[in-house]
């Protein structure tokens, strides 16, 4: 049986951090507690992993953050939360822009191997769960935002995409819309699939037909949203509202509407996701979903730093965060 440090902690009735202090000869542990931990170690025949211990001891006090595309404003507020929390804990942050390229994501992840960084936070979608688990199983520290990794070693923070997507579609249905188009993001991104799932569930619960021809992929960027909206128009199908899976694509829809003389919301209603800064300065102001991006960044940084310092976080490693639908002029119009 592979005995882990948390097993020793459970047997001794102390925290993982206390066992770690005993193993490292810390003077912050009482003799009574030290004996209790040592008895558990002897009883369970526990031997610390020498390689992992060595890797943990060579600290750079630096955390890497890999983002899919630094041009997408969604990442800025998350990174700010990460950086501020890290700074408060005496850590530096390195930002890595993968530009939606899987090989770049993997290359940046390998900064862990040469100890350029102590830990890596991923706000990406292309690195597989298997690759992430392989790294953490070898003693490296990784946290993720926007996805769930089935590993007790990986802190995860994500929003309830299905829940807020249903709210968006229900809002549009309440305003009288029955043919609602959906602009998805990257085809293999969890955010895209879950937001589409919420869209479909809302239609089904309101006995509205799901029409695949109303779905277009805009790759989570303005140009993609612009082209996706043009493709919808070229199909000559009826729709009176658009749910855009992020605000960046919604900006592309605004641009296309301005060129074509389509009035928002009189001719078409639009709702985005992210509550980007520009969303409230558009004319009309964009209805959107506010995700607590700064909080998500600060929380993942706190959890990964706790892990680096061997503070126990197993019971609180997964966080599903609620979001808020903000209704503005772009969709607050009954047809």
């Amino acid at each position: 049986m592979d005995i882990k440090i948390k097993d020793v902690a459970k047997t001794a009735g102390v925290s993982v951090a206390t066992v770690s202090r005993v193993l490292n000869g810390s003077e912050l542990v009482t003799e009574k507690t030290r004996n209790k931990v040592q008895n558990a170690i002897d009883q369970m025949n526990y031997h610390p992993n020498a390689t992992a211990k060595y890797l943990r001891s060579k600290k750079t006090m630096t955390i890497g953050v890999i983002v899919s595309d630094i041009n997408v404003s969604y990442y800025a507020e998350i990174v700010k939360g990460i950086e501020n929390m890290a700074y408060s804990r005496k850590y530096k942050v390195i930002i890595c822009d993968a530009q939606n390229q899987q090989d770049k994501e993997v290359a940046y992840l390998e900064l862990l191997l040469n100890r350029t960084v102590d830990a890596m936070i991923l706000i990406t979608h292309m690195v597989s769960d298997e690759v992430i688990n392989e790294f953490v199983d070898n003693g490296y520290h990784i946290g993720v935002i926007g996805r769930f990794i089935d590993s007790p070693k990986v802190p995860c923070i994500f929003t309830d995409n299905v829940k807020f997507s249903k709210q968006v579609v229900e809002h549009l249905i309440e305003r009288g819309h029955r043919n609602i188009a959906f602009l998805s993001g990257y085809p293999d991104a969890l955010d895209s699939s879950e937001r589409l799932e919420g869209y479909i569930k809302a239609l089904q619960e309101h006995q509205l037909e799901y029409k695949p021809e109303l779905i277009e992929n805009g790759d989570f960027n303005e140009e993609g949203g612009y082209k996706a909206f043009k493709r919808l128009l070229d199909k000559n199908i009826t729709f009176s509202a658009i749910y855009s899976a992020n605000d960046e694509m919604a900006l592309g829809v605004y641009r296309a509407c301005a060129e074509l003389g389509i009035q928002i919301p009189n001719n078409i209603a639009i709702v985005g996701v992210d509550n980007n800064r520009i969303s409230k300065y558009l004319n009309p102001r964009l209805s959107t979903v506010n995700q607590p991006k700064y909080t998500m960044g600060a929380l993942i940084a706190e959890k990964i730093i706790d892990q680096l310092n061997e503070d126990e976080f197993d019971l609180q490693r997964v966080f599903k965060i609620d979001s808020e639908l903000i209704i503005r002029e772009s969709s607050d119009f009954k047809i």
Side-chain angles (χ1 to χ4, degrees):
M1 179 180 176
D2 184 16
I3 305 298
K4 301 183 182 300
I5 190 171
K6 64 180 181 181
D7 299 320
V8 175
K10 184 176 181 180
T11 299
V14 298
S15 69
V16 169
T18 298
V19 177
S20 177
R21 293 187 186 105
V22 171
L23 291 171
N24 290 303
S26 171
E27 297 180 357
L28 300 176
V29 183
T30 66
E31 192 63 29
K32 180 180 178 181
T33 300
R34 189 184 308 278
N35 290 337
K36 187 162 54 172
V37 171
Q38 191 60 54
N39 287 337
I41 290 172
D42 295 340
Q43 174 189 333
M44 304 178 76
N45 197 27
Y46 171 70
H47 298 284
N49 184 307
T51 301
K53 185 176 180 180
Y54 171 74
L55 289 173
R56 288 195 298 269
S57 69
K58 292 179 67 64
K59 291 186 177 181
T60 65
M61 302 300 290
T62 303
I63 296 171
V65 180
I66 306 178
V67 300
S68 292
D69 183 354
I70 200 66
N71 288 319
V72 176
S73 56
Y74 164 77
Y75 298 107
E77 199 70 12
I78 292 178
V79 170
K80 185 186 294 185
I82 292 172
E83 198 281 331
N84 284 348
M85 175 57 71
Y87 183 80
S88 73
R89 301 283 292 271
K90 313 300 182 185
Y91 280 80
K92 302 179 292 295
V93 172
I94 295 176
I95 310 300
C96 307
D97 180 13
Q99 299 178 319
N100 293 311
Q101 299 176 34
Q102 185 174 10
D103 57 341
K104 290 191 75 172
E105 288 188 17
V106 174
Y108 284 133
L109 194 55
E110 290 177 351
L111 292 174
L112 287 165
L113 301 178
N114 59 21
R115 305 305 298 163
T116 301
V117 297
D118 295 334
M120 192 68 79
I121 294 172
L122 307 185
I123 322 173
T124 59
H125 64 284
M126 290 186 176
V127 175
S128 68
D129 292 10
E130 291 75 18
V131 169
I132 292 173
N133 283 321
E134 184 178 347
F135 270 85
V136 298
D137 286 344
N138 282 285
Y140 299 100
H141 300 281
I142 296 176
V144 298
I145 289 181
R147 61 195 285 194
F148 170 77
I149 302 295
D150 189 12
S151 166
K153 302 175 184 177
V154 181
C156 311
I157 296 174
F158 49 92
T159 51
D160 195 335
N161 288 295
V162 175
K163 179 180 178 180
F164 74 63
S165 289
K166 287 181 63 180
Q167 291 173 342
V168 169
V169 177
E170 286 166 355
H171 156 66
L172 292 170
I173 292 171
E174 288 169 1
R175 294 303 187 271
H177 300 282
R178 295 298 178 266
N179 293 290
I180 302 167
F182 177 74
L183 300 189
S184 66
Y186 313 125
D188 54 351
L190 182 65
D191 285 348
S192 286
S193 60
E194 289 188 343
R195 290 171 195 177
L196 176 59
E197 180 184 348
Y199 163 88
I200 294 172
K201 282 187 174 181
L203 293 178
Q204 291 173 338
E205 290 179 9
H206 289 267
Q207 290 77 52
L208 295 176
E209 180 185 358
Y210 166 57
K211 301 175 182 178
E213 62 270 24
L214 288 175
I215 311 301
E216 281 292 340
N217 173 31
D219 283 336
F220 279 145
N221 61 66
E222 181 183 343
E223 186 65 21
Y226 175 87
K227 292 178 178 177
F229 180 64
K230 289 288 192 70
R231 291 196 297 272
L232 284 170
L233 294 177
D234 289 343
K235 294 178 183 179
N236 290 317
I237 53 178
T238 299
F239 62 96
S240 59
I242 288 184
Y243 169 30
S244 172
N246 79 344
D247 289 351
E248 295 281 341
M249 293 187 294
L251 287 177
V253 175
Y254 266 70
R255 177 157 62 94
C257 287
E259 291 178 2
L260 298 170
I262 298 173
Q263 293 186 339
I264 304 169
N266 301 56
N267 303 135
I268 190 164
I270 304 175
V271 181
V273 176
D274 288 340
N275 194 28
N276 288 350
R277 184 176 302 175
I278 197 171
S279 65
K280 60 185 176 183
Y281 297 112
L282 293 171
N283 186 22
R285 297 184 305 161
L286 176 64
S287 296
T288 186
V289 176
N290 182 47
Q291 300 187 84
K293 299 181 286 294
Y294 181 93
T295 299
M296 292 164 67
L299 186 56
I300 196 70
E302 178 183 42
K303 291 301 168 185
I304 205 73
I305 291 171
D306 283 348
Q307 188 184 45
L308 286 169
N309 290 282
E310 299 184 335
D311 292 333
E312 192 169 14
F313 72 98
D314 288 6
L315 299 179
Q316 299 182 34
R317 76 171 189 89
V318 178
F319 297 83
K320 181 179 279 192
I321 308 294
D322 275 335
S323 301
E324 176 192 7
L325 173 60
I326 300 174
I327 299 172
R328 299 188 180 121
E329 291 85 356
S330 71
S331 67
D332 196 14
F333 178 83
K334 283 204 170 188
I335 63 173

